[in-house]
Amino acid sequence: MSDCLFCNIVDGEIPGDIVYDSDSVLAFNDINPEAPHHVLIIPKKHIPTLNDISNSDRDVVGELHLVAKQIAAERGISGSGYRTVFNCNSDAGQAVFHIHLHLLGGRKMSWPPG
Ligand code: AMP
Ligand code: ZN
């Protein structure tokens, strides 16, 4: 998807502050962090929203969470805690239509989210 920001980061056409790279998953620091640690973990495959995942995506969607766990451990926030979030469509505030798992940590967070 040449008009997708995150596909362009996957393809190296737009720079990303990459922290993890596998055959199927890329993770990079959020450009506008909302917490001391704010990482976006994405499938390299273009999937617009969580509504668009299918059974064939179950491995990569699982990998996104395993990568979140790994990055949290590397950054020493596994014990203190962190949040993982998929925003889906407008009510949740999704702005980039290539699914991404937010990993947020390093500060106390409130619940419910605004
Ligand atoms: P969402 O609202 O869930 O779609 O989140 C989109 C996220 O992408 C926001 O947290 C943005 O700060 C982040 N973002 C937008 N452009 C970039 C970029 N070029 N590199 C890294 N993160 C980005
Ligand atoms: Zn894309």
Side-chain angles (χ1 to χ4, degrees):
M1 287 279 291
S2 60
D3 59 347
C4 170
L5 174 63
F6 288 174
C7 282
N8 284 327
I9 292 177
V10 169
D11 294 340
E13 288 161 20
I14 292 175
D17 185 8
I18 291 164
V19 300
Y20 177 91
D21 190 355
S22 76
D23 286 347
S24 48
V25 170
L26 190 71
F28 46 91
N29 288 315
D30 196 292
I31 203 167
N32 183 26
E34 299 288 357
H37 299 278
H38 189 175
V39 178
L40 302 177
I41 306 159
I42 71 169
K44 290 189 173 178
K45 172 188 175 185
H46 181 80
I47 303 171
T49 80
L50 211 55
N51 292 330
D52 301 303
I53 62 171
S54 62
N55 267 332
S56 63
D57 299 316
R58 63 173 57 221
D59 283 351
V60 74
V61 172
E63 187 181 348
L64 300 178
H65 294 80
L66 289 168
V67 172
K69 168 191 154 179
Q70 178 181 318
I71 293 170
E74 287 169 0
R75 295 181 175 211
I77 57 171
S78 300
S80 53
Y82 56 91
R83 184 169 291 168
T84 53
V85 179
F86 282 109
N87 292 322
C88 182
N89 280 335
S90 61
D91 274 4
Q94 185 176 3
V96 178
F97 286 82
H98 178 134
I99 63 167
H100 43 283
L101 185 63
H102 293 260
L103 166 62
L104 297 137
R107 67 167 170 83
K108 187 84 179 165
M109 280 172 270
S110 59
W111 188 264

